[in-house]
Every structure is written in C-alpha cells, then in structure tokens.
C-alpha cells in the first residue's frame, strides 16, 4: 500500500479523533501515568530499598520506621497506577465510540452521495465489508496507540530520566541499540505494508463474491449453478489463503530478525549488570533498576512485531475505504448551488451531448440532442434497446452529468441546482420497484416521512394497492423482505406508485414500469399510473407501445437521436420507425396469414 494512502487514512482517523480532543489528551496522560507509576515508580522505590538494606542492617523493631516512607510511596504509586489503568480503558473506549460514529457518518454520506456509475462498478457487499473494516481499523489503531505505542515511548523516556544521571554510558549504548532496532523494524514494516493491502483486497473480493451469490440466490438455484458459484467463491477464497500465507511468512521473518535484536540488547544489559559494580561502582539498587527497566522495555519491544502486524493489517484493511473516501464525486453540487423551484414543470434538453466515462474516445450516447417538454405534457420515449431512453431520464435526475449542453427545468439548469432539491421534484418509478426491508407503511411514506395514516391509505388506494395490503395479516405494518421479495412484482410496483403519489412531485419519470408484469397486474398498475400522471409533467420510457399510445406525444429515439415525434395516430400514419415497431408488436406485419 502506498504511504500516501496510509497518510490519508490517518487524516480521516485524526479528523474523527480531534472531535474528542479532551478525551484524547486524557488518554495519553493516563497511558503515561500507568507506565510511570507501575513500571518505573515501583522499580525505583525497590532500588532505593535495596540500597538502604546494603547500607546497614535494620533492626526488627525499626523496619516500619525505616521503610515506612518507601511502603507509603509504593502504595501511592500502585493506587495511582491502577487509577490510570482504568482511566486508560475508559478513555480508549470513549474515543472509539465517538470516532466510530463520526467515521460511520462520513462513510455513509460518501456512499450515498456518490454517483450511480460509482455504485454500478462495485460490489455492494464489498463496500459494506470495506466500511466495517475501516471502523475496525480505527479501533485497532487506538488500541495500539493507547496500550502499546504511547506506553512504549513513555517507557523509553522514563528509563532515560531514571538512569541517565547514574549510568550515562549504559543509557547511551542502549539508545544506540534501540535506534538500530527501530530502523530495522520500520524498514521491514514498509515492505510488508503492501502485502497486507493485497490480503485485505482479496478479503474484500471474497465478501463481494459471497454477497453477489447470496443476492442472486434464486437465479443460482433455478439454473442449478451452485457448483459454478462455489468455484468462483473457492477461487476468491484460495486467493485469500495465498495472500494471508504471504503475510504470515513475511511477519514471521520480521519477528525473527527483531527478536534477535532484543536478545542482543538483553545480553548487553546482563553483562553490564554483572560487571557494573566492579567496573563502574554502580550500586546494587541501581543495577536492579537497570535490569528491571531494560527487561520491561524489551518485553514491550518483543510485542512490536505483533504491534506492527496489527498496524499493517489495520492500514491494509482501511485502504479500500480510504480510496473510496478520496475518490472525487462524479456528480457534485456546485458550492453556490441553489434549490430547484418548480412552478410549471417545463423540461428542456438543449444541445445535449453525453458519453460514459469508460466509453471509447468520441463514443457518445447523445450528440447535440434537443427536446422540449411542455408543462403538464405526457411524453413517451420509445426505441430499440440501447437507443438512450433510460439514459436520458438518468441525466434529468442528474445521476450522471452531461458532457456538454444543458438540461433545464422551468428555465433552471439542473447542473446548477442542489441534487436533493432536484430529486425532490421528480418522482421516479423504475421497471423493478425498489423497496426497503421495512414495513409497507414506511416504504410508501418514504417520499413524505411525515405523512399521516390517512394520506398513506389514500395513496395506496389510488395506486390500486390498498386492497391487497388490507388482506395481509399485518396490513401496512407488513415487512416486505429484502428488495420487497415477500410481495409479487405487481404488488411491489403498486407500492412504488403509491410512494410516488404520496410524494406528489410535479414531474414524473416512469422507466418500463409495467414491462415485467402479468396482464392482471399490468391493468391495475396502468390504472394507478394514469392516476399518477394526472396533472404532472410525465416522461414514460416503454418498450411496450400500448403503454404510451394514449400519451400526449411520443418521441422515437434511435442511436441517441430523435428520429420521430408526434402522437400515436400521427406516427402510425407516417409509416416510419414507430409504425414499424407498432406493426411488429401488434402482429400487423404478418399480414392475412398472421390473423
């Protein structure tokens, strides 16, 4: 993983942490206090006790008198150290709780505000996995900082302060060895960082494969493709195994090198303790402190391998979401964007040019397209698959930005308006009704959260949905399942229409809203759509021409160009592209033999 990505991860983590600056500072103080009181304070007092014992024998009745102050100091250090330990725990958990809230909010807002192109190119399951790992990486980093990094630094500083005056030569040699240790450990850490990112990416891919298979489990089962999906999953799982194996081997090699350096430090320390009194006249108490301090320090250093492994894994896990957070929005509001205000509902596509980002250079869906829709006009868009019908509606909703030209609603350029305000003015009903795994009531009221029960029921009745809803055991409180799987296609579509009716937007976009329904459901939905279009500017995308035959105007698209425009009767009489499509769908092209 690039070091720049690591820095960006730290940027997001720090932005969340600094909202709790007081808790952060208190956490560091608690970390330092824990080390100084329990590790260095206790040992320092014990060193003084050893030196006092060596000075002269202490009579039995003088023990508490002579050593009383030392005992009180030990008691105070232990009480303060334990207090710092609990404060360390509390502040760590508090930081994680608040920062997780901030980070989760940032991730959610980023994902919600990204374009449909962004989401179309990614596994939903992989994004969920990356989000979870991003939060877990922060928790791991805070744990490592509080319980390892800060305490390690405090241990080194405490040791230097305690021993520099009495054994400066030993402190100088030890610091040289520690600097060498850090340089080697950091170099090994950087080498393994990319391996961890690779392993995390493999895990994200595995999550995506699992999510894709589970989401489409009906297709998997009805086509008997369990073995095929298992092979895809196993391939991704094998990649996880391979990358994790590489990570383990690299970490083990690093551990062997750093452990060897720790052994060298302890050997040097042991030699100094053995000869310190004879060579340098160091007191027994000071030698006890030298050995204990260094031993405790090497115990912490011995955990650096696992610490770096955890940090490697944390930054590797966070890499995917960090890149997502860094990715610029493909569709972003201007800083001075204003709310769209719709009074009439006139729509103009002016000199419109558009091509997808991943298309070949010069390959456009539309080039200099012009189309005007009058307020309250109901316009059907028809044409062969790939002619640009749905793309035109997505551009109106600003799910993608135009390459050139303008889209105006009541004279306002949608590219200069806030996206949310734009979409609050347009009710969109797609071919596959998109329902949340929530109650029918919540799904209908999604466009108007403060709607009353009477308003929800009225919208359901107008959408021809109330009858089937009332037959359900829990009525409006019925949970519809993931993507509305508990309801039939026609029922889902009528709930979606009820939602659009309740939202009461001045502009309506229907994208193949009846193409996947049976005849009975289609009739009910058609009636509901007629109610929905009444008094609104409507754009209706349809393959089935009977859906648009009664509309005010029909626009025929072919390869991103408008080739015909008029009423159903006018276009049939013209004998052009629309008439040919109509003949094919009605069977007229078969002639007398087809009757």
């Amino acid at each position: 993983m690039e070091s720049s990505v690591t820095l960006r991860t730290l940027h997001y983590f720090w932005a969340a942490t600094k909202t709790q600056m007081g808790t952060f500072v208190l956490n560091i103080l608690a970390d330092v206090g824990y080390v100084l009181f329990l590790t260095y304070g206790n040992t320092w007092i014990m060193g003084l006790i050893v030196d006092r014992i060596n000075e002269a024998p202490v009579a039995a009745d003088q023990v508490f008198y002579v050593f009383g102050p030392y005992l009180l100091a030990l008691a105070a250090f232990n009480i303060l150290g334990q207090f710092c330990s609990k404060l360390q725990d509390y502040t760590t958990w508090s930081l994680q709780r608040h920062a997780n809230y901030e980070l989760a909010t940032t991730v959610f807002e980023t994902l919600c505000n990204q374009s449909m192109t962004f989401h179309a190119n990614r596994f939903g399951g992989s994004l969920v996995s990356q989000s979870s790992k991003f939060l877990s990486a922060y928790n791991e980093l805070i744990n490592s900082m509080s319980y390892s990094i800060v305490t390690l630094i405090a241990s080194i500083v405490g040791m230097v302060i305690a021993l520099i005056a009495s054994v400066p030569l030993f402190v100088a040699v030890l610091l040289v060895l520690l600097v060498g240790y850090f340089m080697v450990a950091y170099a090994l850490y950087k080498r393994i960082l990319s391996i961890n990112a690779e392993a995390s990416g493999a895990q994200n891919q595995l999550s995506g494969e699992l999510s894709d298979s589970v989401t489409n489990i009906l297709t998997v089962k009805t086509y008997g493709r369990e073995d095929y999906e298992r092979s895809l999953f196993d391939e991704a799982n094998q990649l996880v195994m391979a990358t994790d194996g590489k990570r383990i081997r690299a970490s083990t090699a690093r551990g062997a090198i750093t452990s060897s350096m720790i052994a060298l430090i302890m050997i040097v320390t042991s030699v100094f303790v053995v000869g310190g009194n004879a060579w340098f006249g160091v007191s027994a108490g000071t030698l006890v402190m030298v050995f204990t301090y260094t031993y405790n320090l090497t115990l912490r250093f011995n955990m650096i391998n696992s610490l770096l492994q955890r940090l490697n894994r944390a930054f590797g896990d966070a890499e995917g979401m960090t890149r997502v957070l860094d990715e610029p929005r493909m569709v972003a509001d201007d800083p001075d964007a204003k709310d769209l205000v719709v009074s009439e509902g006139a729509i103009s596509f002016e000199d419109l040019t558009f091509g997808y980002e991943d298309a070949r250079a010069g390959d456009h869906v539309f080039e200099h397209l012009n189309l005007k829709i009058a307020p309250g006009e109901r316009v059907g868009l028809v044409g062969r698959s790939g002619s640009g019908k749905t793309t035109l509606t997505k551009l109106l909703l600003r799910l993608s930005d135009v390459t050139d030209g303008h889209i105006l609603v009541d004279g306002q350029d949608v590219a200069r308006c806030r996206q949310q305000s734009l979409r609050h003015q347009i009710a969109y009903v797609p071919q596959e009704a998109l329902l949340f795994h929530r109650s029918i009531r919540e799904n209908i009221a999604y466009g108007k959260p403060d709607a009353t029960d009477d308003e929800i029921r009225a919208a359901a009745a107008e959408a021809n949905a109330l009858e089937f809803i009332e037959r359900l055991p829990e009525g409006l409180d019925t949970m519809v399942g993931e993507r509305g799987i508990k309801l039939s296609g026609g029922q889902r579509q009528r709930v979606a229409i009820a939602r659009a009716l309740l939202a009461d937007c001045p502009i309506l976009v229907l994208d193949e809203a009846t193409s996947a329904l049976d005849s009975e459901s289609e009739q009910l939905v058609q009636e509901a759509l007629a109610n929905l279009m009444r008094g609104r500017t409507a754009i209706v995308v349809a393959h089935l021409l009977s859906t648009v035959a009664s509309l005010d105007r029909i626009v025929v698209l072919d390869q991103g160009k408008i080739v015909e425009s008029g009423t159903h009767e006018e276009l049939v009489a013209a004998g052009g592209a629309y008439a040919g499509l109509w003949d094919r769908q009605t069977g007229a092209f078969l002639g007398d033999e087809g009757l």
Side-chain angles (χ1 to χ4, degrees):
M1 183 172 67
E2 300 173 8
S3 58
S4 60
V5 180
T6 303
L7 292 176
R8 291 299 299 163
T9 299
L10 289 172
H11 163 76
Y12 289 115
F13 287 174
W14 174 244
T17 302
K18 68 182 181 181
T19 61
Q20 299 294 312
M21 183 58 70
T23 305
F24 178 72
V25 172
L26 191 59
N27 178 261
I28 293 177
L29 293 176
D31 298 340
V32 173
Y34 168 76
V35 172
L36 294 183
F37 287 127
L38 293 184
T39 302
Y40 288 93
N42 281 338
T43 303
W44 177 59
I45 296 297
M46 289 306 300
L48 295 178
I49 291 173
V50 170
D51 282 341
R52 176 61 185 85
I53 291 172
N54 283 338
E55 284 179 9
V58 178
D61 60 347
Q62 295 293 307
V63 168
F64 288 105
Y65 175 77
V66 173
F67 295 109
Y70 300 108
L71 293 175
L72 289 175
L74 285 172
F77 285 169
N78 277 278
I79 291 171
L80 290 171
Q82 291 301 326
F83 172 78
C84 288
S85 174
K86 301 313 167 214
L87 184 61
Q88 181 186 36
D89 292 339
Y90 174 78
T91 52
T92 298
W93 298 335
S94 183
L95 277 174
Q96 290 171 340
R97 183 168 69 93
H98 287 93
N100 276 193
Y101 174 83
E102 297 292 337
L103 292 171
T105 300
T106 299
V107 168
F108 182 81
E109 289 181 349
T110 298
L111 295 180
C112 280
N113 289 312
Q114 268 294 4
S115 69
M116 290 304 298
T117 302
F118 168 90
H119 287 285
N121 291 328
R122 287 166 173 82
F123 281 124
S126 180
L127 289 174
V128 172
S129 173
Q130 288 172 6
S131 302
S132 176
K133 287 181 176 180
F134 190 69
L135 300 183
S136 297
Y138 177 85
N139 292 340
E140 184 61 65
L141 184 62
I142 289 298
N143 280 334
S144 298
M145 183 203 76
S146 182
Y147 297 110
S148 298
I149 298 174
V150 174
T151 53
L152 178 62
I153 295 172
S155 296
I156 295 172
V157 173
M159 184 201 67
V160 171
I161 293 173
L163 299 180
I164 189 69
S166 54
V167 283
L169 179 61
F170 172 78
V171 171
V173 172
L174 185 60
L175 287 177
V176 169
L177 292 174
L178 292 181
V179 169
Y181 178 95
F182 275 120
M183 292 177 64
V184 172
Y186 180 70
L188 295 172
Y189 165 80
K190 289 190 66 175
R191 288 180 58 187
I192 297 175
L193 199 57
S194 60
I195 298 175
N196 279 277
E198 184 182 350
S200 181
Q203 185 63 56
N204 290 335
Q205 179 67 22
L206 180 66
S207 298
E209 291 289 353
L210 179 60
S211 174
D212 203 31
S213 296
V214 172
T215 302
N216 295 284
I217 192 64
L218 180 61
T219 304
V220 174
K221 287 187 172 295
T222 52
Y223 280 85
R225 297 284 279 171
E226 290 91 342
D227 289 343
Y228 174 71
E229 293 299 320
R230 188 181 297 112
S231 69
L232 291 180
F233 182 82
D234 187 62
E235 183 179 339
N237 210 7
Q238 289 288 348
L239 181 60
V240 171
M241 285 280 289
T243 53
D244 271 344
K246 188 189 300 185
R247 173 161 57 184
I248 290 170
R249 289 191 295 273
S251 296
T252 302
R254 179 182 62 191
I257 295 172
T258 53
S259 294
S260 299
M261 296 187 70
I262 289 174
L264 175 62
I265 291 172
M266 282 310 300
I267 291 171
V268 171
T269 301
S270 299
V271 170
F272 182 83
V273 169
V274 169
N277 181 262
W279 300 332
F280 307 107
V282 180
S283 70
T286 301
L287 292 176
V288 169
M289 287 192 289
V290 166
F291 184 84
T292 306
Y293 288 161
T294 308
Y295 178 69
N296 286 332
L297 191 61
T298 56
L299 287 179
R300 295 185 185 280
F301 270 74
N302 207 35
M303 293 186 291
I304 281 186
N305 188 49
S306 62
L307 168 65
L308 293 178
Q309 172 65 14
R310 295 197 305 273
L311 291 178
N312 271 330
R313 183 184 290 273
F315 284 119
D317 286 349
E319 181 194 11
M321 185 49 61
T322 297
R323 292 186 183 277
V324 168
L325 294 175
D326 277 347
E327 190 164 327
R329 293 183 186 177
M330 295 181 180
V331 181
D333 285 338
D334 285 343
D336 57 348
K338 299 179 180 178
D339 285 346
L340 177 71
V341 179
V342 178
S343 56
E344 296 181 331
I347 303 171
S348 296
F349 298 90
E350 297 185 351
D351 202 28
L352 186 68
T353 298
F354 173 73
Y356 289 105
E357 288 193 357
D358 54 358
R360 291 176 298 181
D363 190 1
H364 295 118
V365 179
F366 301 113
E367 285 192 76
H368 308 294
L369 179 140
N370 289 279
L371 173 64
K372 292 185 181 298
I373 301 174
E377 186 178 18
R378 301 170 305 157
V379 175
L381 298 181
V382 302
R384 293 183 175 86
S385 295
S387 60
K389 304 183 297 297
T390 295
T391 301
L392 196 63
T393 64
K394 297 293 177 64
L395 292 175
L396 172 61
L397 285 159
R398 208 178 165 216
L399 299 177
S400 294
D401 269 336
V402 301
T403 306
D404 200 6
H406 304 279
I407 301 176
L408 307 179
V409 175
D410 283 349
Q412 302 159 85
D413 193 336
V414 300
R416 301 289 179 266
C417 299
R418 289 180 61 249
Q419 295 175 61
Q420 284 195 5
S421 71
L422 166 68
R423 292 162 194 159
H424 284 161
Q425 304 296 332
I426 302 175
Y428 176 66
V429 182
Q431 176 178 359
E432 181 184 356
L434 305 174
L435 302 185
F436 295 95
H437 181 29
R438 301 169 191 171
S439 69
I440 293 177
R441 174 184 281 103
E442 290 174 282
N443 274 285
I444 292 177
Y446 194 73
K448 187 180 179 183
D450 59 346
T452 65
D453 259 15
D454 288 342
E455 289 176 318
I456 293 171
R457 287 181 175 278
E462 202 171 354
N464 285 333
L466 188 59
E467 183 181 352
F468 88 78
I469 292 172
E470 290 181 336
R471 289 199 304 266
L472 296 171
E474 297 181 67
L476 285 169
D477 293 319
T478 301
M479 300 295 289
V480 302
E482 188 176 8
R483 297 175 179 265
I485 196 171
K486 292 183 179 180
L487 303 180
S488 70
Q491 290 172 336
R492 288 197 297 271
Q493 204 70 314
R494 280 176 277 165
V495 169
I497 292 169
R499 175 197 294 165
L501 279 163
L502 189 59
D504 195 23
C505 300
I507 299 172
L508 174 65
V509 173
L510 305 175
D511 189 359
E512 298 286 358
T514 63
S515 64
L517 304 178
D518 59 78
S519 299
E520 182 179 356
S521 295
E522 182 184 352
Q523 182 180 352
L524 292 170
V525 170
Q526 288 281 21
E527 293 173 2
L529 291 175
N531 293 333
L532 180 58
M533 283 188 283
R534 191 179 302 119
R536 294 179 171 88
T537 303
I539 298 176
V540 182
V541 175
H543 280 295
L544 190 63
L545 301 186
S546 60
T547 305
V548 298
S550 61
L551 299 182
D552 302 321
R553 180 159 54 114
I554 299 169
V555 174
V556 184
L557 291 171
D558 185 23
Q559 296 183 352
K561 295 180 175 61
I562 297 176
V563 295
E564 288 183 309
S565 178
T567 65
H568 169 74
E569 292 76 13
E570 291 171 346
L571 294 178
V572 170
Y578 180 84
L581 293 171
W582 179 258
D583 288 345
R584 286 180 175 84
Q585 289 194 10
T586 60
F589 74 98
L590 294 175
D592 293 338
E593 295 179 1
L595 299 176

